[in-house]
């Protein structure tokens, strides 16, 4: 993959030239076509961490509000929306090109229950029954921890979150930090250098 494809995928407005590329995503229980692009994470394929998450046997609410935090082109949000058609799935990303891709991908696959938004455009009163995320570790530890605190505090009572994080990028230390912050967290899977971390709402 061209190293500029993912360059600055956490920028609000990528300046790298657009070069859309559509891929087929086939999961055991569903499938969809997804357009990817340069300047958005993981052009031309579903990355290993996201692939682990969307193929895992994870709890997923069938109704209410669900969140894909750091949605990119939307593979997690699309999988959630197809599996829970009665729920509203929020695909949230700072990257404007990523949000455009999410919108196009929802339309392409005939998915009516996805809401695409910048972080500041999600109504503050919404609480999420399920949060799935391949968080943007490369924005740096302080920024990523602040991001996770902001959104994990919006887990509904009885809700669940799942984060996929590379071991060598701090998955184990992140798990310990979440525990210290009051979020019960356990590792549910480990494969190809990635950890799946299941996170429960913050303890009172």
């Amino acid at each position: 993959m061209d190293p500029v494809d993912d360059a600055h995928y956490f920028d609000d407005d990528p300046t790298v030239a657009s070069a859309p590329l559509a891929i087929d995503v086939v999961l055991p229980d569903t499938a969809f076509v997804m357009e990817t692009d340069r300047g958005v994470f993981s052009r031309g394929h579903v990355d290993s961490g996201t692939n682990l998450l969307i193929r895992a046997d994870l709890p997923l609410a069938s109704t209410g509000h669900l969140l894909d935090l750091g949605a990119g082109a939307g593979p997690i949000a699309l999988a959630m929306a197809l599996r829970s058609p009665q729920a509203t799935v929020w695909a949230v990303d700072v990257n404007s090109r990523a949000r455009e891709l999410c919108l196009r991908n929802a339309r392409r696959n005939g998915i009516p229950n996805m809401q695409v938004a910048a972080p500041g455009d999600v109504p503050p009163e919404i609480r999420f029954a399920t949060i799935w995320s391949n968080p943007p570790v490369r924005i740096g530890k302080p920024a990523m921890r602040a991001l996770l605190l902001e959104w994990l505090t919006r887990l509904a009572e009885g809700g669940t979150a799942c984060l996929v994080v590379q071991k060598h990028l701090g998955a184990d230390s992140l798990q310990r930090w979440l525990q210290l912050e009051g979020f019960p967290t356990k590792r549910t899977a480990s494969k190809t250098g990635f950890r799946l971390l299941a996170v429960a709402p913050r303890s009172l």
Side-chain angles (χ1 to χ4, degrees):
M1 181 177 59
D2 186 335
V4 302
D5 287 347
D6 284 353
H8 308 296
Y9 64 85
F10 43 79
D11 286 350
D12 291 359
D13 294 295
T15 56
V16 63
S18 175
L21 179 64
I23 61 172
D24 293 310
V25 180
V26 180
L27 303 174
D29 60 330
T30 191
F32 50 88
V33 180
M34 185 177 75
E35 185 179 333
T36 66
D37 203 349
R38 300 169 80 198
V40 176
F41 182 62
S42 196
R43 177 183 182 265
H45 70 291
V46 177
D47 68 284
S48 297
T50 296
N51 194 51
L52 176 62
L53 191 155
I54 60 179
R55 291 178 178 275
D57 183 16
L58 299 172
L60 178 65
S62 59
T63 60
H65 294 277
L66 318 181
L67 171 65
D68 173 8
L69 178 60
I76 294 174
L78 292 164
M80 295 172 98
L82 287 166
R83 289 167 174 163
S84 294
Q86 302 306 311
T88 299
V89 177
W90 291 83
V92 172
D93 204 295
V94 299
N95 183 322
S96 60
R97 188 175 294 174
R99 295 195 301 272
E100 291 166 4
L101 286 173
C102 283
L103 285 169
R104 291 204 298 270
N105 287 329
R107 295 190 192 108
R108 177 192 288 258
N109 291 279
I111 295 173
N113 59 320
M114 264 178 64
Q115 292 285 334
V116 180
D121 293 335
V122 181
E125 68 274 11
I126 287 179
R127 295 296 176 264
F128 298 100
T130 305
I131 297 174
W132 287 357
S133 180
N134 185 350
V137 176
R138 296 188 186 279
I139 64 175
K141 184 183 292 186
M144 189 185 75
R145 288 183 172 183
L147 179 73
L148 291 176
L149 277 181
E150 175 183 356
W151 292 95
L152 289 174
T153 54
R154 296 178 68 171
L155 264 176
E157 183 177 353
T160 60
C162 186
L163 312 176
V164 61
V165 184
Q166 284 191 24
K167 179 182 178 182
H168 82 272
L169 291 180
D172 295 339
S173 63
L174 178 63
Q175 180 179 354
R176 291 191 293 271
W177 174 77
L178 287 167
Q179 294 274 22
L180 290 172
E181 289 292 330
F183 295 95
T185 305
K186 63 181 180 180
R187 186 199 311 168
T188 60
S190 183
K191 186 177 181 181
T192 61
F194 287 87
R195 309 284 206 220
L196 285 183
L197 303 179
V199 186
R202 189 177 234 164
S203 307
L204 297 180

